[in-house]
Amino acid sequence: MNLFKRFKYTIEADLHHAFDKKEQKNPIAMLNQYIREAEKQTEQTGKLLERQGQLKEKLEQEFKQNADLLAKREAQLKLATTSGEQDLIDFASDEVAAYTARNNTLQASIEASTREYFELERKFETMKHKIKDMKVRQLQLMGKENVTRAHHQMDGMIAKNNKTNFEDLESYIDKLAYQIDKDHEVTSFESRLAQLEKNVTEDTPVLIENK
């Protein structure tokens, strides 16, 4: 038995250690799992709370029915006492005693059920608040993770090991700009030469052959 317990505790310790490592590796994933489990437990607690409310209502219905029967038997006991018939008096007395005892039991059960219902309701509301808090924490961690990733990517882009990439890109842009300027310059020269040719043609008189 001791060996079994030792084996059980060893397994549980290994599992807790594994979960701790997983939580350190990916805390958001673990938080998501906690939230899902908490929501499931809260849903189950809500069903238990609803069930407790139904049981409380049934106890109250039983109490009302028993109280009505008790009042009826008490009235019958008075009539039997007035009539002087001992067997009726004994029967009515036993009935009054039974309904009175049940009435006390039901009243105590209703009071206990009411306390338990409000206790469950309070814990249920606390669980819902805890889930809300965890979801807020989830958003905070997601935002922090997103910022961390963004910083990591940007730091990687401007890191020294990427300096060559930026230099190559700048060199390419410089060459491209130089080629564009050169092409524009050639185009300008061609345009000016064409204009000169046009001007020369316009200034040269047209010779008309004599027939």
Side-chain angles (χ1 to χ4, degrees), residues 64-146:
K64 184 178 182 304
Q65 293 174 2
N66 189 79
D68 292 341
L69 291 173
L70 174 60
K72 179 180 178 181
R73 292 305 189 203
E74 287 176 339
Q76 291 174 343
L77 177 59
K78 289 181 180 179
L79 290 175
T81 302
T82 302
S83 67
E85 299 184 33
Q86 192 59 43
D87 56 342
L88 292 178
I89 293 173
D90 293 340
F91 175 77
S93 296
D94 292 341
E95 287 286 292
V96 169
Y99 283 120
T100 300
R102 186 177 300 122
N103 198 65
N104 294 334
T105 300
L106 286 169
Q107 187 172 7
S109 297
I110 290 172
E111 291 174 356
S113 179
T114 301
R115 289 194 302 270
E116 292 165 354
Y117 178 83
F118 286 130
E119 181 67 17
L120 282 176
E121 188 176 37
R122 184 184 65 81
K123 289 184 177 180
F124 182 62
E125 293 299 324
T126 301
M127 291 176 72
K128 289 194 294 185
H129 283 300
K130 290 293 184 183
I131 290 176
K132 287 289 185 182
D133 292 339
M134 283 192 291
K135 287 186 174 181
V136 170
R137 182 59 177 162
Q138 180 188 38
L139 292 174
Q140 290 175 336
L141 286 177
M142 290 174 65
K144 186 175 182 179
E145 181 188 41
N146 188 61

Side-chain angles (χ1 to χ4, degrees), residues 15-41:
L15 286 175
H16 287 308
H17 180 66
F19 279 124
D20 290 341
K21 289 180 65 177
K22 185 176 180 182
E23 186 174 5
Q24 292 175 1
K25 185 177 181 181
N26 194 346
I28 293 181
M30 287 301 297
L31 181 58
N32 293 340
Q33 181 179 345
Y34 291 151
I35 291 175
R36 287 192 296 269
E37 292 177 355
E39 287 177 333
K40 185 177 180 180
Q41 292 177 0

